[in-house]
Amino acid sequence: MKFNKKLVLQIVVLIVGLALIISGVIKIVGGLKGSTTPEVINKFNEIYDLGGQIGDEMKTTGALLNGISAKEQAKDYAGAVKDTSTAILGIDNVISEFNVLNIKISEFKKILRNISDSAVKQSGLKLVGLLEQRNATSLDLINNTKQFVILSKTYYEELAAGKTEVKIDETQANSLIQKITQADKTLLILTPQVNTATQDFAKTANFQLKTK
């Protein structure tokens, strides 16, 4: 099985979809109830700023993978190897940043638990729970994408070495795509829930949100 245009497009669409889902597009710019602290605002903004950085890196990775079909058609297998290698490095960096993001969310949870206003605390913890689910699903998608790109990299390395009858393990490739697709479907369900929880938290805490 070749790493053909259809497979590339499917992976790219899902990666770009994740980039749009995870991107931080809002921040708290004003408003503060007496029961909360600036620490809440700062940590919230850190979380969404880092989400924006992750989203930008995912878009870059998607663009790299999107160009692989053209390189295969041109038989530029060395170029395809280079791009898949770069994509893997990019994915590794995204995984590391997701881990940092999870730490920030854990810190946010600790801050929220110390808030005296029960309504603000409950609303904030609901948001945190959804962010944790979204990140876990995102990491699942990213890790399986990495395995798929590694599979394709091996394929192009063999072609670049002049080997003939080179194939990708179709069973493994399809299994990875199914897992990636399922994670994407879960993210599509979680995304509006996260957005609603974000707006509800801002309203409850009397925060003003601004789209970047």
Side-chain angles (χ1 to χ4, degrees), residues 31-40 111-121 201 204-207:
L32 185 67
K33 293 186 68 172
S35 57
T36 58
T37 67
E39 190 178 17
V40 174
I111 295 170
L112 290 168
R113 284 176 173 166
N114 291 324
I115 291 177
S116 59
D117 189 315
S118 60
V120 175
K121 181 188 296 184
F201 173 63
T204 303
N206 194 34
F207 291 143

Side-chain angles (χ1 to χ4, degrees), residues 135-148:
N135 285 3
T137 305
S138 297
L139 276 170
D140 185 54
L141 188 155
I142 291 299
N143 280 309
N144 283 308
T145 297
K146 178 182 175 180
Q147 294 306 311
F148 185 88

Side-chain angles (χ1 to χ4, degrees), residues 159-178:
L159 287 174
K163 294 184 179 180
T164 59
E165 299 298 323
V166 178
K167 295 181 180 180
I168 287 179
D169 185 325
E170 187 171 355
T171 300
Q172 184 180 1
N174 285 333
S175 175
L176 288 169
I177 290 174
Q178 287 174 7

Side-chain angles (χ1 to χ4, degrees), residues 118-130:
S118 60
V120 175
K121 181 188 296 184
Q122 182 177 358
S123 179
L125 291 176
K126 180 180 179 180
L127 171 60
V128 164
L130 289 167

Side-chain angles (χ1 to χ4, degrees), residues 3 8 11-12 15 57-68 79-95 142-143 145-150 152-153 156:
F3 190 60
V8 175
I11 294 295
V12 170
I15 287 177
E57 292 194 27
M58 291 308 302
K59 291 174 187 176
T60 300
T61 299
L64 271 175
L65 296 177
N66 195 37
I68 288 177
V81 170
K82 180 180 178 181
D83 284 356
T84 50
S85 297
T86 303
I88 290 168
L89 290 175
I91 291 171
D92 282 338
N93 191 49
V94 166
I95 291 172
I142 291 299
N143 280 309
T145 297
K146 178 182 175 180
Q147 294 306 311
F148 185 88
V149 177
I150 289 173
S152 68
K153 178 174 176 285
Y156 287 117

